[in-house]
Amino acid sequence: MADRIRVIIMGAAGRDFHNFNVFFRDNPDYEVVAFTAAQIPNIEGRRYPPELAGPLYPEGIPIHPEEELPELIRRFRVDRVVFAYSDVSHEYVMHRASIAHAAGADFWLMGPRATQLKSRKPVVSIGAVRTGSGKSPTTRRVARLLRELGWRPVIVRHPMPYGDLRKQVVQRFASFEDLDRYECTIEEREEYEPHLANGFIVYAGVDYERILRAAEEEGDLILWDGGNNDFPFFVPDLHIVVADPHRPGHELRYHPGEANLRMADVVVINKIDTASPEAIHQVRENVRQVNPRAVLIEAAMPIFVEEPNAIRGRRVLVVEDGPTLTHGEMAYGAGVVAARRFGAAEILDPRPYAVGSIQEVYQRYPQTGPVLPAMGYGAAQIRELEETINRAPCDLVLTATPVDLTRILRVRHPVLRVRYEIQEIGRPTLADVLMERLGRGPQPPDSGAGRN
């Protein structure tokens, strides 16, 4: 066999594995000598198992910390470094390219044609220009609308395999009990639980060819629920991308969010109820500049609290969605908005009470304000999150994550949830676009459709 091209894939336990599975796994021209891991705590030090890596990799593939990249390139005489994670600035990507080049390797960004799978069923994909733009509530809204139109969507979520990869090849979630059975992290529960509450089946895992084929057997349409600001793993028939005017300009400065924006059939400019008119105008003009063919939809993301009077005059600890605050680079989210709107006497700064890895999160992401990110990438971190909450001298814990934390944590304080959903303003609406592009779902033979 001729010398194979030696490759390192830089990732974060998501697209890196997908790119390997669809392009490199059975490709005799390449040898993937290592993965590197970033963004997500405690995912390095593992091994991509031989059961998933295929016959060319009988020992599997080691996963190293990204900080070791230059040394790994030299040790393994690497020819090519593949960058395969998301929600990072263009400058950040090119710094990694410079590190690879300085160590002697090529630097590669793989695009949709090389990595997307084709479904036998229609695919609607939801993506975003940044984490925290409102992609998840948009996905929930689209799922409900598709059901109203007569479709039976099955939701496939962007990967979050942070545990034992051999147990996460194909995961099917149909009930809350499945979340426990798969030992889901808080981050996974945040994405899956609301869909399950709405009566939808969710697939996720590691091998998206197998996941796609299983999902196709259960529904007549695949709804891709994207992660971070990555572009979809499946070829979409309709690609909806959410933009955030709270971070105007980010839609053109982050990878691969800008690619998502340029590929979009529909762009939802979200949060117009809380963003400034100037910021909304800037995002609108940037969309028109790079993708004038896209349908523009404007939307608000109102918040709902069951007992808003419970907030007034209280000393409140706000718990926000973790990734929105960390690599999403936002200082606060819907929880702070609710605390201010409903008259909290004080938003307690949790940083003096943080323990273990929660302290490390504040050090790594100093832009995070006086709020607590709902970090829970493993059992130990979930315990540290629980301890941090219980140490805080507050009157009320205000949680603005999509998951019910009381299912997971034992909290000694009263807990009140903040919910948020997307709401289109004006026309066109998401329903208008779905009806125009997809029409109504297949009607069963005995439905009476078309009868007099």
Side-chain angles (χ1 to χ4, degrees), residues 70-150:
E71 193 274 330
L72 292 169
I73 292 172
R74 298 184 184 98
R75 186 200 313 172
F76 293 115
R77 303 187 308 280
V78 168
D79 303 297
R80 183 169 296 168
V81 172
V82 176
F83 188 89
Y85 60 98
S86 54
D87 210 29
V88 289
S89 70
H90 292 323
E91 183 179 21
Y92 179 102
V93 175
M94 290 312 299
H95 281 312
R96 273 64 195 168
S98 296
I99 291 170
H101 288 169
D106 295 342
F107 190 78
W108 195 12
L109 294 171
M110 300 180 71
R113 189 174 300 159
T115 61
Q116 284 184 336
L117 301 167
K118 180 64 177 174
S119 175
R120 298 188 294 268
K121 303 290 176 69
V123 174
V124 175
S125 60
I126 314 295
V129 301
R130 289 301 314 275
T131 292
S133 295
K135 169 194 55 58
S136 295
T138 303
T139 306
R140 296 196 293 269
R141 172 79 171 145
V142 170
R144 291 192 296 268
L145 290 171
L146 287 168
R147 183 162 57 191
E148 291 171 8
L149 288 171

Side-chain angles (χ1 to χ4, degrees), residues 41 186-187 320 322-323 326 358 361 365 373-377 381-382 385:
I186 287 177
E187 285 68 27
E320 301 275 23
T326 55
I358 306 300
V361 169
Y365 300 99
M375 304 296 287
Y377 285 104
Q381 192 171 52
I382 290 173
L385 176 66

Side-chain angles (χ1 to χ4, degrees), residues 3-71:
D3 289 343
R4 297 161 70 187
I5 298 170
R6 299 170 72 81
V7 174
I8 287 176
I9 302 178
M10 300 177 66
R15 172 163 287 280
D16 47 350
F17 300 153
H18 176 70
N19 285 3
F20 171 81
N21 291 338
V22 300
F23 187 88
F24 293 103
R25 179 164 54 194
D26 300 314
N27 193 328
D29 296 330
Y30 296 89
E31 180 185 2
V32 175
V33 298
F35 292 95
T36 64
Q39 285 188 332
I40 310 301
N42 304 318
I43 57 169
E44 71 275 3
R46 301 187 296 171
R47 179 172 289 269
Y48 197 67
E51 297 93 326
L52 286 167
L56 294 177
Y57 301 90
E59 304 300 320
I61 303 168
I63 304 172
H64 294 268
E66 187 179 291
E67 291 76 15
E68 297 178 9
L69 179 64
E71 193 274 330

Side-chain angles (χ1 to χ4, degrees), residues 387-398:
E387 183 178 351
T388 299
I389 293 173
N390 287 333
R391 291 182 67 200
C394 62
D395 303 318
L396 176 71
V397 177
L398 198 58

